[in-house]
Amino acid sequence: MNVVVIGAQWGDEGKGKIVDFLAERAAAVVRYSGGANAGHTIVRDDETFKLHLIPSGVLYPDTKVILGTGMVIDPAALFEELAVLTEQGIDWEGRVLVSDRAHLVLPSYRDLDTQRDQERARPLGTTGRGIGIAYALKASRDGVRIADAEEPEIVDTLDQESRDYLTTHIDRLRPMIVDLVEFMAHAGRTDHVLFEGAQGALLDLDQGTYPFVSSGYSAAGGASLGGGIGPRRIDKVLGVFKAYSTRVGNGPFPSEFRSTDDSGLEELVREKGREYGVTTGRPRRCGYLDLVALKYIVRANSIDALAMTHLDVYDTLDQIKVCVAYESDHGMHDTFPSSAYALDRCRPVTKTLPGWKSDIGEVASYDELPQAARDYIAFIEKFVGAPVEIVSTGYKRSQTILRVDPWTQS
C-alpha cells in the first residue's frame, strides 16, 4: 500500500512525527521533494533527532529511506546529517538511498539564494540554503543531477569550486544511488511505502500563496512526480495539520494572532508548541487554526484523512477560536483566494469553542479525550469534509491516538 503524507498548512505541522510513527510498518519511506531547508524533530524515548534531508523512517533498522527524484540535495549537508545519526547510534549504511535523477545543490547556490532574496522588492524570507536556485536552474535546464555528476559534458562546464565539490563527495554518494522508478516497480505492491512531502501544501509552488512559497512541490501530486510511481498507484493521502496555524517567513497569514487582541496567546502557543524553526531557529508566526485554508488544501489534494498534532498545546485555554471565513473591504469570503495580496488584505472571522482545561498528554484512546476536545475535532471534520484519523497529544511516539488503522484505505 502506498500512502502519501503531506503538510496541510504552511509547513511545520508535525509530519516528521507522523511519518516516524507510521514508518514502523513501512518497508520504505520516500521523500519526494524539497531540500535541506526542511526540518523534522523526532523524539524517541528521551532522545531527540533533528532531520533535514533524510526521511523520518531512518530510525527504524529495517526501513529503507530514499531521497527522491523531486529533491534538491546538498551532499555536504547530507553527510553532516548522516554523521550526526551515526553519533546517535543509528546504523544507516545500505538503507539511505538517493535517486539518480535528483538535482544537486552546489556551493555557489547558497550565497546566490540569499543575494536574490535581498534584492527582491518584497523578500520571501528564504532559508539561504540554495534550494530556490537549484530549482530555478532545474527549470531552466541548467541544473546538475546526481546522474550527471560524473559526465564530462556537464562537469567540464562548471566552475572549479563546483568541480572540486563534486569530486569530494561523489565517491561517498555512488553506493547510495538508485534508479527510483526501478526500485518502486518492486515496492509498494506487497509492502507498505510512505511518501513524505516537504514543507506544507500552502507553500506548494502551484497550490500555495505564490510568490511566498517554496520552489518545489509540497502537494500530494508531487509524490508521483518525485517518488517514482504513477498517480494510480497512490492508495491514500494523509494530511497533517496542527490544532492551530503557524507560518515561517514572509507572506499572508490572515489568522495570525494580534498582540492587541490575544494578550499572551502567541507566546503561550510558541513556547508550549516549541514553535521555532528546526533549520533556522527562527520563531514561527502563530495564529488560529485557519479552516478556510485547510478545507482548500483538503479539496485540492483529495485528502482522504487527517492527522491532527499539537492538540495538547491548547490544554490550558478556557476557550478556543478558529477561523471560519475571511472579511475584507469587499465583503465576506468563505473560499481561499488565489492572490496572496488579496489574502493579505483579509481579516479572520472566528468562531469560539469551549476549551477542555485538562492535561491530555497521557490520554490513551480517543474516547478518553475530554468531550470539548472531541467536539473541537468534530467541528473541524465537518467544516473541511475529511475525518481526523490520528490525534497527536505530545512529542513522544506513545502520545499518538489512532482512531482508524492508517494502513487501510479511508
Side-chain angles (χ1 to χ4, degrees):
M1 183 175 181
N2 294 320
V3 175
V4 178
V5 179
I6 68 167
Q9 294 167 307
W10 278 285
D12 309 307
E13 301 94 347
K15 296 183 298 298
K17 177 192 172 175
I18 299 302
V19 170
D20 171 68
F21 184 85
L22 299 179
E24 184 176 14
R25 293 167 58 190
V29 179
V30 181
R31 164 108 177 259
Y32 61 80
S33 66
N37 57 335
H40 292 322
T41 299
I42 301 167
V43 178
R44 185 185 69 176
D45 298 326
D46 294 325
E47 193 168 14
T48 299
F49 298 84
K50 294 187 177 183
L51 303 174
H52 300 276
L53 283 163
I54 300 168
S56 308
V58 72
L59 302 187
Y60 291 99
D62 297 321
T63 301
K64 285 186 167 61
V65 297
I66 303 100
L67 283 66
T69 298
M71 290 189 67
V72 289
I73 300 167
D74 182 336
L78 172 62
F79 289 118
E80 286 173 9
E81 194 170 323
L82 289 171
V84 173
L85 287 175
T86 298
E87 291 173 4
Q88 293 183 286
I90 303 300
D91 182 8
W92 56 267
E93 296 277 357
R95 295 194 299 115
V96 177
L97 306 174
V98 180
S99 170
D100 54 5
R101 290 176 170 84
H103 277 246
L104 289 162
V105 176
L106 299 179
S108 61
Y109 296 5
R110 293 190 285 270
D111 289 340
L112 188 56
D113 197 4
T114 300
Q115 177 187 335
R116 286 194 178 178
D117 200 47
Q118 291 172 344
E119 292 172 350
R120 290 186 172 100
R122 295 189 68 176
L124 305 178
T126 174
T127 61
R129 297 300 180 102
I131 307 304
I133 301 301
Y135 277 119
L137 291 171
K138 174 181 178 178
S140 66
R141 293 159 292 181
D142 296 309
V144 181
R145 302 180 305 162
I146 298 284
D148 303 323
E150 295 184 279
E151 293 291 346
E153 291 87 345
I154 299 295
V155 176
D156 291 348
T157 66
L158 301 175
D159 59 69
Q160 188 62 50
E161 181 186 26
S162 296
R163 293 200 297 270
D164 291 343
Y165 185 74
L166 292 178
T167 300
T168 299
H169 295 293
I170 193 62
D171 287 342
R172 294 187 68 189
L173 272 174
R174 196 177 294 113
M176 302 164 66
I177 297 172
V178 64
D179 180 335
L180 185 53
V181 171
E182 183 66 19
F183 180 91
M184 286 306 303
H186 305 286
R189 296 190 183 277
T190 58
D191 296 321
H192 291 325
V193 177
L194 280 171
F195 293 83
E196 176 185 8
Q199 287 86 40
L202 287 170
L203 294 176
D204 181 81
L205 189 60
D206 290 312
Q207 290 186 1
T209 51
Y210 188 91
F212 302 97
V213 293
S214 184
S215 300
Y217 30 74
S218 306
S224 177
L225 293 170
I229 61 171
R232 290 192 296 175
R233 284 191 59 194
I234 295 174
D235 298 305
K236 184 174 185 176
V237 178
L238 180 69
V240 184
F241 74 104
K242 280 189 283 208
Y244 48 90
S245 299
T246 63
R247 180 164 195 163
V248 172
N250 301 330
F253 188 9
S255 67
E256 186 170 10
F257 295 141
R258 304 291 191 262
S259 58
T260 54
D261 300 328
D262 304 285
S263 178
L265 185 55
E266 180 176 33
E267 183 179 355
L268 182 149
V269 168
R270 182 175 291 138
E271 294 307 316
K272 187 168 182 180
R274 305 181 194 179
E275 296 300 349
Y276 295 89
V278 177
T279 300
T280 64
R282 289 184 291 185
R284 296 174 184 140
R285 300 158 63 190
C286 303
Y288 305 119
L289 175 59
D290 187 336
L291 291 181
V292 181
L294 184 59
K295 179 192 283 188
Y296 161 68
I297 290 303
V298 166
R299 290 176 171 178
N301 291 273
S302 298
I303 287 176
D304 298 295
L306 292 163
M308 172 191 266
T309 64
H310 292 246
L311 184 61
D312 56 300
V313 172
Y314 275 165
D315 280 354
T316 61
L317 298 186
D318 293 313
Q319 57 185 27
I320 297 165
K321 292 181 180 179
V322 291
C323 175
V324 295
Y326 304 137
E327 184 180 17
S328 74
D329 294 341
H330 300 287
M332 299 277 287
H333 312 274
D334 60 2
T335 57
F336 195 74
S338 57
S339 166
Y341 305 101
L343 184 63
D344 199 34
R345 293 190 292 268
C346 289
R347 300 176 296 276
V349 177
T350 62
K351 179 178 176 62
T352 301
L353 299 170
W356 42 93
K357 298 286 289 182
S358 61
D359 184 350
I360 63 171
E362 301 304 320
V363 172
S365 69
Y366 187 77
D367 290 339
E368 293 175 15
L369 284 172
Q371 184 62 50
R374 284 180 281 150
D375 289 344
Y376 182 56
I377 294 169
F379 182 84
I380 294 166
E381 291 177 316
K382 183 176 181 181
F383 193 100
V384 304
V388 175
E389 292 187 351
I390 301 174
V391 180
S392 172
T393 59
Y395 286 89
K396 299 177 182 177
R397 284 177 179 169
S398 60
Q399 294 174 301
T400 310
I401 297 171
L402 294 183
R403 301 177 69 190
V404 177
D405 181 354
W407 290 105
T408 57
Q409 289 181 276
S410 300

